[in-house]
Amino acid sequence: MNDFIAARSQMALSLGFHIIFSCIGMVMPFFMAVSHYYWLKTNNVVYKNITKAWSKGVAIFFATGAVSGTVLSFELGLLWPTFMLHAGPIFGMPFSLEGTAFFIEAIALGFFLYGWNKFNPWFHWVTGVVVGISGLVSGILVVAANGWMNSPSGFDYVDGKYINIDPVKAMFNDAWFSQALHMSIAAFVATGFAVAGVHAFMILKGKNVLFHAKAFKIAAVFGCIAAVLQPLSGDISAKDVAERQPAKLAAMEAHFHTGKSVPLIVGGIPDVKEKKVDYAIKIPGLLSFMVAGDLNAEVKGLDSIPPEDHPPVAITHYAFQIMVGIGMLLLFVAVLYFIALWKKKIWLERRWLLILFAAVTPLGFIAVEAGWTVTEVGRQPWIIQGIMRTADAVTPMPGIVYSFYIFTGVYISLAIIVVFMLYRQIKMVDKIYDIPSNSDQLKG
C-alpha cells in the first residue's frame, strides 16, 4: 500500500466511523424529545424512563462523535495540506458555523442531562429540542462543505490562483441542498430502523415489553416516514449529479456509451475492459426519463469523458446498487408498518413484523456507508471537482501507511467500547425501568 492509498484509506475509515456516530447524534435527540413530550403531557412514567434511557445513548454518541469529528478535522490538514491551503479560506465558513452549532449542542445537552427536577419542565424539554436542532444544523453544515467539493463555487480560478473569494456563495453551492436533504433523511432512516430494530428484538425476547413497545413505535414512525421520503430526495440528488457530475452518474449506472433512450441498470457486474455490464436487469428508457423526464433523452456515458477522469466504475456501481436496494427494502417495510397502523392493526401483535424490523436493524447504516462511498469514490480523481486532483493534494510526508494501521486499531477499539457501553446500557434499562404493566403510574 503506497502513501496515497493509505491517506485515502485512513480518511475513508475515519469518515466511515464518524458518519454512524454523527447520524445517531443528529437524530436520537428528536426521538428523546418526542418521548419527553409524551411524559409531560400524559404523566406516563414509561415515557420518562424512555427519555432518560435514550438520553444516555445520546450522551455516548455525542462523546464518540465529538472525538471522531475532531480527528477528521486534523486529518484534513495533516493528510491533505495542499487542499486545505487553497480550499480552507473558501469553504471554511460552514466549518466555523458547525463549530458554533456544536458548542450550542454541547451546552444544551449538559442542561438536559443534569436538568431533571431542576428546571421548569417545559424549559427542560426545550433544551432537549435544541440538542436535536443544533445537531441537525451541524450535520447540514458539514455536508454543505462536502457539497462544495462536488460543486466548487464562490471563487474564480485564474492561472492556478483562487481569487474573488465569496465564502457565502461557496457555502450555498449548487450541491448543498440536494446533498443535505438526502443525507438528513438518510440519517433518520438509518437511526429510526436501528433503534426500532433493537427494541423489536427486546420485545421478542419478552424483556420489559411495555417499555420497549412504546420506544419501538416512536423510532419506527420516524424511520418509516423518512423511508417513504427518501426516494424523493434521491431523485432530486440524482438529477443534480446528472447535471454537474456526469462522470459520477455514468459510474453509478455503469453507463459506458452515450446515447438516447438509455435503460436503467439494476444489478449486474461491470466489465470495464469490454465496456459492458453482465447479468444486469435493464429497464428500457428509464434512466433517460429519471434524468431528464423524457424516455428518449440523451445521457452522457463514460465514452464522452477523458479516461483519466473516469471514477472507479465497479466500486461506485456496487455501492450505488447497495444503497438503492436497501432503500427499496426499507421502503417496503415502512409501507407494511403503515398498513399495520391504519388498516391491519392485528399485524402489530404478530411476531413476524417484529422479526422483520429486527432483521433490518443494521441495513440503514450500511446504506449510508454505501451512499458516502458513491459520493466520494464517484468524484475521483478529483478532490475539488474539475479543479484539483486528489493525488495533487496529498501530503508528501512518508510513512502514512503506519498512521493508517494505528488509526485502524484505534477505531476498531472505539467501536468495541461503544458496543459494550450500549449493551450494558440496554441491560441496565431492563433492570432499572422494568415497571409492571398494572402499575398505577402507567395510567394516562
Side-chain angles (χ1 to χ4, degrees):
M1 181 185 295
N2 60 39
D3 286 339
F4 174 60
I5 297 299
R8 288 187 60 192
S9 299
Q10 182 173 325
M11 201 71 190
L13 176 75
S14 301
L15 181 60
F17 274 93
H18 177 69
I19 199 169
I20 295 177
F21 300 148
S22 60
C23 282
I24 298 174
M26 286 165 56
V27 174
M28 279 291 292
F30 290 101
F31 299 178
M32 184 179 74
V34 169
S35 62
H36 194 185
Y37 175 82
Y38 284 152
W39 152 244
L40 293 175
K41 294 295 290 185
T42 67
N43 203 34
N44 186 333
V45 73
V46 173
Y47 288 118
K48 179 182 180 181
N49 293 340
I50 292 171
T51 305
K52 286 191 171 184
W54 278 347
S55 69
K56 293 176 182 177
V58 169
I60 292 171
F61 283 104
F62 177 82
T64 52
V67 171
S68 58
T70 302
V71 170
L72 274 170
S73 64
F74 280 113
E75 285 179 341
L76 280 172
L78 293 174
L79 298 178
W80 314 101
T82 305
F83 167 70
M84 291 305 295
L85 173 65
H86 297 290
I90 304 172
F91 79 147
M93 179 174 287
F95 279 126
S96 62
L97 293 176
E98 190 273 337
T100 302
F102 174 79
F103 290 144
I104 294 172
E105 182 183 7
I107 294 168
L109 181 60
F111 280 170
F112 186 84
L113 293 175
Y114 298 102
W116 289 97
N117 303 319
K118 295 181 178 67
F119 296 137
N120 174 278
W122 285 104
F123 175 79
H124 185 218
W125 175 78
V126 168
T127 63
V129 174
V130 171
V131 173
I133 293 174
S134 55
L136 185 61
V137 170
S138 179
I140 290 173
L141 288 167
V142 171
V143 173
N146 180 266
W148 179 85
M149 296 166 68
N150 290 306
S151 180
S153 60
F155 66 97
D156 293 322
Y157 187 63
V158 181
D159 297 329
K161 296 181 180 180
Y162 300 79
I163 60 175
N164 301 326
I165 293 173
D166 184 347
V168 174
K169 186 177 180 180
M171 183 168 69
F172 295 108
N173 55 80
D174 292 339
W176 85 270
F177 176 76
S178 60
Q179 282 195 209
L181 178 66
H182 195 57
M183 183 63 233
S184 298
I185 295 176
F188 276 92
V189 174
T191 306
F193 275 95
V195 174
V198 170
H199 289 293
F201 179 74
M202 299 306 292
I203 295 170
L204 289 168
K205 292 182 66 176
K207 298 287 186 70
N208 202 354
V209 172
L210 186 60
F211 175 96
H212 290 294
K214 291 187 180 298
F216 166 82
K217 185 174 182 180
I218 293 172
V221 168
F222 268 102
C224 289
I225 291 174
V228 172
L229 297 175
Q230 187 69 313
L232 302 177
S233 72
D235 181 65
I236 294 172
S237 185
K239 284 182 170 60
D240 182 63
V241 168
E243 181 181 347
R244 293 181 299 95
Q245 296 176 294
K248 178 184 286 188
L249 179 73
M252 288 161 55
E253 294 291 343
H255 176 46
F256 292 100
H257 305 288
T258 301
K260 296 182 178 181
S261 190
V262 177
L264 179 70
I265 294 177
V266 180
I269 300 175
D271 185 338
V272 178
K273 288 185 179 180
E274 298 296 328
K275 301 187 185 307
K276 64 177 183 176
V277 184
D278 297 320
Y279 314 113
I281 299 172
K282 298 183 179 181
I283 306 175
L286 188 55
L287 182 60
S288 291
F289 180 79
M290 294 176 69
V291 168
D294 181 356
L295 288 170
N296 295 312
E298 183 179 272
V299 179
K300 288 185 178 180
L302 288 168
D303 60 353
S304 66
I305 297 160
E308 64 271 18
D309 293 341
H310 287 188
V313 176
I315 295 175
T316 308
H317 177 70
Y318 293 142
F320 180 68
Q321 295 293 312
I322 289 170
M323 179 186 69
V324 173
I326 290 176
M328 291 299 98
L329 176 59
L330 296 183
L331 174 61
F332 173 72
V333 176
V335 170
L336 285 180
Y337 184 66
F338 286 133
I339 292 174
L341 284 178
W342 294 331
K343 297 291 185 181
K344 300 284 187 179
K345 293 190 180 296
I346 191 67
W347 288 2
L348 299 174
E349 302 173 9
R350 298 289 188 259
R351 288 179 61 85
W352 65 263
L353 187 63
L354 294 172
I355 292 172
L356 187 58
F357 270 93
V360 301
T361 297
L363 294 188
F365 286 114
I366 294 174
V368 167
E369 298 285 8
W372 273 101
T373 299
V374 172
T375 299
E376 295 304 296
V377 176
R379 190 181 60 245
Q380 300 308 310
W382 306 101
I383 192 169
I384 306 175
Q385 180 69 42
I387 302 292
M388 180 185 294
R389 292 181 180 271
T390 309
D392 296 332
V394 71
T395 178
M397 182 180 68
I400 298 299
V401 64
Y402 301 109
S403 172
F404 168 64
Y405 293 146
I406 292 171
F407 273 83
T408 299
V410 169
Y411 275 110
I412 290 175
S413 301
L414 181 61
I416 293 172
I417 293 170
V418 170
V419 170
F420 170 75
M421 292 176 67
L422 290 175
Y423 175 78
R424 189 178 69 170
Q425 179 61 28
I426 292 171
K427 298 289 287 185
M428 290 176 61
V429 163
D430 288 325
K431 289 181 180 179
I432 298 173
Y433 301 135
D434 191 4
I435 300 173
S437 59
N438 62 352
S439 170
D440 292 338
Q441 290 177 296
L442 301 184
K443 294 180 180 179

